[in-house]
Amino acid sequence: MNKTVSNRKTIKKIVVGACAVFLVLLIVALIINIVRWSAVNNRAQSLAAVSAELDRRIDKNGKMIEFCSTDEFYELYAREYLDMVYRDEIILDVK
């Protein structure tokens, strides 16, 4: 009978020890996941900021492309870079 009680106590110690080790492992895994989650959130915020900047640039470039297809742009470009003028137009160079 004494041997059975002793065996049960040993089994209880093993089970309690195993449960303690398992609990420690769960806590370590939880901490690791919290740290990873924090890093992922920081990366997501960084990517959102970059995305907003890229959207702003795309919008700005889209407006520039629209302007470059207008007659006003063609006229400005021809006057500035090609030195073109309208017929019978007099250019006054003021210095």
Side-chain angles (χ1 to χ4, degrees):
M1 183 97 146
N2 238 352
K3 193 174 185 183
T4 310
V5 172
S6 178
N7 283 343
R8 285 186 183 173
K9 284 183 181 180
T10 306
I11 292 174
K12 283 182 184 179
K13 287 180 184 178
I14 292 172
V15 170
V16 169
C19 288
V21 169
F22 183 68
L23 185 62
V24 169
L25 288 174
L26 285 177
I27 291 171
V28 168
L30 177 65
I31 292 170
I32 290 172
N33 283 330
I34 288 172
V35 169
R36 284 184 183 171
W37 183 67
S38 175
V40 167
N41 280 342
N42 290 341
R43 180 74 174 146
Q45 289 174 353
S46 173
L47 290 175
V50 169
S51 176
E53 172 63 21
L54 290 175
D55 286 341
R56 186 191 63 76
R57 286 185 185 181
I58 288 170
D59 188 47
K60 180 181 174 186
N61 289 335
K63 289 178 182 176
M64 182 61 152
I65 290 171
E66 288 175 10
F67 173 71
C68 288
S69 35
T70 63
D71 292 336
E72 179 184 1
F73 171 77
Y74 294 141
E75 183 178 340
L76 288 172
Y77 189 86
R79 285 179 181 277
E80 188 171 338
Y81 294 105
L82 303 176
D83 295 326
M84 298 177 79
V85 295
Y86 286 115
R87 291 176 198 224
D88 300 327
E89 183 177 11
I90 300 171
I91 304 273
L92 299 176
D93 191 18
V94 180
K95 289 185 180 180

